Amino acid sequence: MEEKKPESTNKNVKKANLLEHNSIKHILDESVSDIVKSCGYKEDVRLSNMKLILGTVIIVVALVAQFYNKKFPENRDFLIGCIASYVVLNGVLQLILYTKEKNAILFTYPPEGSFTSTGLVVSSKLPRFSDEYTLTIDSADPKSISAGKSVQLTKSVTQWFTKDGVLVEGLFWKDVEALIKDYAKEGEPKKKK
């Protein structure tokens, strides 16, 4: 008779390689997205969809140029037009990434039933060779009258990980929720005295 091994009680443990910068940032960013969504914010995927569509058009232009050039090598004008289109579309994509996305990990709609008409832009930084993780929450539309002031949290990642690389989700959850509450408090209309 075969013995069954006891199953782990915590199947969803988030573990990072503490020697790998990207592993740590990925785990934290993924957790931030989960926490923000659990606070009633729905993800706004319009920018992601626009990038996917633009990327698909860029690939199609590159494929057309490649195969057209093989079939009709004498027609250089069409090839030059395809190359120019490819360069321009790539430039547009890079401009979107630089101006809109920056370090953003999540764009949201405003929570349902909220007085605000703008969602959030959640961004993070974990500089190379540093243990300081910075999480920033901004308004998705900073020019809106209901936009809150930007709030930021900077802490050492050693505060949230065990020596084995396991994320202590309770501590991290508490810090991120407090930051979301700070943002909501900054955006509330001030009471008149």
Side-chain angles (χ1 to χ4, degrees), residues 173-189:
W173 193 282
K174 190 171 98 178
D175 287 342
V176 174
E177 270 189 336
L179 188 66
I180 294 168
K181 286 177 184 172
D182 285 349
Y183 176 82
K185 197 177 352 175
E186 289 293 329
E188 288 177 1

Side-chain angles (χ1 to χ4, degrees), residues 131-132 155-162 167-168 171-172 175:
D131 66 336
E132 295 290 313
K155 262 192 176 179
S156 170
V157 295
T158 60
Q159 302 283 317
W160 301 312
F161 285 94
T162 66
L167 177 64
V168 182
L171 292 174
F172 188 62
D175 287 342

Side-chain angles (χ1 to χ4, degrees), residues 8-182:
S8 173
T9 57
N10 200 352
K11 293 180 182 180
N12 296 328
V13 171
K14 294 182 181 179
K15 189 170 182 177
N17 178 352
L18 294 179
L19 300 175
E20 188 183 340
H21 165 267
N22 288 330
S23 176
I24 295 168
K25 187 171 184 322
H26 176 75
I27 294 288
L28 292 175
D29 289 351
E30 187 179 272
S31 296
V32 167
S33 291
D34 293 342
I35 295 166
V36 171
K37 290 176 195 174
S38 77
C39 289
Y41 291 90
K42 290 193 172 149
E43 186 172 5
D44 181 356
V45 294
R46 291 177 294 184
L47 183 62
S48 296
N49 290 344
M50 187 172 66
K51 289 185 331 188
L52 285 171
I53 291 168
L54 192 55
T56 303
V57 171
I58 290 169
I59 290 169
V60 169
V61 167
L63 287 172
V64 167
Q66 176 71 24
F67 292 117
Y68 189 85
N69 185 41
K70 284 185 178 185
K71 191 157 182 126
F72 306 103
E74 67 280 349
N75 191 353
R76 294 283 179 215
D77 291 339
F78 181 77
L79 181 62
I80 290 170
C82 283
I83 293 171
S85 298
Y86 178 82
V87 169
V88 168
L89 291 171
N90 261 317
V92 169
L93 183 60
Q94 292 304 314
L95 186 66
I96 290 170
L97 292 173
Y98 182 74
T99 59
K100 291 281 185 194
E101 197 170 66
K102 299 181 185 173
N103 295 320
I105 55 174
L106 181 68
F107 293 89
T108 73
Y109 292 108
E112 288 184 28
S114 154
F115 70 90
T116 184
S117 63
T118 180
L120 305 178
V121 176
V122 182
S123 54
S124 69
K125 288 184 211 168
L126 180 61
R128 219 169 160 82
F129 308 115
S130 173
D131 66 336
E132 295 290 313
Y133 180 79
T134 301
L135 184 64
T136 306
I137 298 177
D138 287 309
S139 172
D141 182 11
K143 294 178 183 171
S144 170
I145 194 163
S146 64
K149 290 183 182 176
S150 178
V151 292
Q152 197 172 62
L153 165 74
T154 301
K155 262 192 176 179
S156 170
V157 295
T158 60
Q159 302 283 317
W160 301 312
F161 285 94
T162 66
K163 65 181 180 179
D164 298 330
V166 175
L167 177 64
V168 182
E169 288 190 76
L171 292 174
F172 188 62
W173 193 282
K174 190 171 98 178
D175 287 342
V176 174
E177 270 189 336
L179 188 66
I180 294 168
K181 286 177 184 172
D182 285 349

